[in-house]
Amino acid sequence: MKAALFSNHLSRYNRTHAGLISACAKPLGLSEYVMDAEAFANLSILDDRLASHADAGGDTLIINGGDGTLDVMIARLRSARLKAWQPDIILLRSGTTSMTHRDVGYGRDPAQALSDAMRRDTPWTKTARDVMCLRGDSLPGPQYGFFFGTHALARAIRHARHTLHTRGMHGAFGEALLFATTLGALLRGKTHGHAILDPTTLAYTRNGAAQTADHIFFIATTLKKLVLGMRAATPAAGEFGCISIVTPTHGLWRQVPSLWRGAPVQSAGPILRWCDTQVELALNSEVTLDGELFSTSSETPLTLAIDSPVTFLT
């Protein structure tokens, strides 16, 4: 394994533990490429650093950041300049949520994870995850990620950033608090007019067939587990799992246990689950891809499609 470390110094962990990962990398003989505001503003700088590692025979990237950092790296690796190079990836869990990191199985302590990775003397396990690509005229180019959500999911992220995170409630605790209060309102049917759960119209395709319904949220993901261990649909390779909750919400409480376990939803109700390879969407609402928020309009539809996988070393 010939690895290089790419560190997002703007991520939450790296801001609160300034210099720690860099200090750990030096005695390990690991080259570190810093991802700062300049690199994110001018992505050609990041491309140059990736190309330099590839030209030196590098086969592994250690990415020190969260979900957004990983998505930026995947996007650069799929650019015309770098798409022929397919390095393995090791993740250091230093973002605010780090959903992909948790799903694949990376531990909480980035510094310890880095040390363990560089001193490892046993074979790695290779874990593949399919990537999704989001395209649309309202977006600044193709966007890549592992978890897409609409309506309540996007509103919940904005609410968390403007309330919970400003109060220091990050990670699982903040997620649990927000999830519990929102789920309680959902199970009681208190959705209309709710700051997060208020349903809005979504036009979309389901296995190629056009659908329109008032949605509380729509999710598509290639991850195996979601927030607080909730399980998504179980797609085959080359597919993503979809979950949507439509109105009216009568019978929702009977479906929730199956949804949580990842089992097929048997009873009739507002929860729909299926697997797909491409979904067309049109809505007047924000959407999220791995925590990044994008404004959309029903006049500029979005296309979410499966893309080629990446390989993580665990």
Side-chain angles (χ1 to χ4, degrees):
M1 179 180 79
K2 185 170 184 178
L5 174 65
F6 285 77
S7 291
N8 179 4
H9 282 198
L10 305 178
S11 74
R12 182 173 63 88
Y13 178 92
N14 291 322
R15 291 197 313 269
T16 57
H17 298 77
L20 177 59
I21 298 299
S22 299
C24 293
K26 287 181 181 179
L28 297 172
L30 189 62
S31 299
E32 182 182 24
Y33 297 87
V34 174
M35 302 167 69
D36 52 15
E38 182 184 7
F40 285 115
N42 183 1
L43 292 174
S44 64
I45 296 174
L46 183 55
D47 290 348
D48 289 343
R49 293 169 180 171
L50 287 166
S52 175
H53 183 47
D55 292 343
D59 58 8
T60 305
L61 301 178
I62 302 176
I63 301 176
N64 173 25
D67 294 309
T69 308
L70 172 60
D71 292 351
V72 169
M73 295 292 281
I74 290 173
R76 302 326 304 158
L77 290 172
R78 292 177 189 217
S79 65
R81 182 178 177 185
L82 293 160
K83 65 181 180 181
W85 182 48
Q86 297 182 342
D88 295 327
I89 294 173
I90 298 171
L91 299 178
L92 303 184
R93 192 169 153 184
S94 59
T96 301
T97 53
S98 300
M99 286 183 62
T100 306
H101 307 55
R102 285 184 288 178
D103 179 66
V104 176
Y106 291 100
R108 290 181 177 274
D109 186 338
Q112 187 62 51
L114 177 61
S115 177
D116 291 345
M118 296 306 296
R119 293 188 168 95
R120 186 179 181 122
D121 57 5
T122 57
W124 291 93
T125 298
K126 292 197 173 189
T127 302
R129 285 288 184 274
D130 286 308
V131 178
M132 300 184 299
C133 180
L134 182 67
R135 289 182 168 88
D137 291 342
S138 61
L139 304 175
Q143 305 295 315
Y144 297 91
F146 301 87
F147 176 86
F148 173 82
T150 70
H151 300 86
L153 273 299
R155 295 181 199 131
I157 289 172
R158 184 166 294 282
H159 175 78
R161 290 176 180 171
H162 286 270
T163 57
L164 300 180
H165 293 177
T166 57
R167 299 172 186 172
M169 291 183 284
H170 298 276
F173 177 75
E175 290 175 5
L177 179 63
L178 180 60
F179 188 83
T181 55
T182 306
L183 179 62
L186 180 60
L187 292 175
R188 295 194 306 272
K190 306 295 185 181
T191 59
H192 288 278
H194 190 280
I196 293 175
L197 297 172
D198 191 37
T200 52
T201 302
L202 172 67
Y204 66 107
T205 58
R206 179 178 178 184
N207 298 134
Q211 312 278 334
T212 301
D214 286 344
H215 272 67
I216 293 171
F217 67 71
F218 166 85
I219 291 172
T221 184
T222 57
L223 302 181
K224 307 301 182 185
K225 292 186 291 185
L226 305 178
V227 61
L228 302 178
M230 184 175 74
R231 296 187 178 276
T234 307
E239 295 181 328
F240 49 77
C242 301
I243 305 170
S244 68
I245 297 184
V246 300
T247 59
T249 58
H250 307 306
L252 175 69
W253 62 273
R254 289 192 297 268
Q255 294 182 299
V256 167
S258 296
L259 178 64
W260 200 272
R261 297 193 306 270
V265 177
Q266 303 290 353
S267 59
I271 299 178
L272 307 174
R273 297 174 76 240
W274 73 99
C275 296
D276 223 321
T277 58
Q278 179 169 307
V279 175
E280 309 286 339
L281 307 108
L283 68 162
N284 291 310
S285 175
E286 280 189 312
V287 300
T288 179
L289 187 64
D290 288 353
E292 189 74 18
L293 295 171
F294 302 95
S295 296
T296 64
S297 166
S298 59
E299 297 177 358
T300 54
L302 303 173
T303 299
L304 182 71
I306 202 72
D307 208 82
S308 57
V310 294
T311 301
F312 298 103
L313 300 181
T314 60

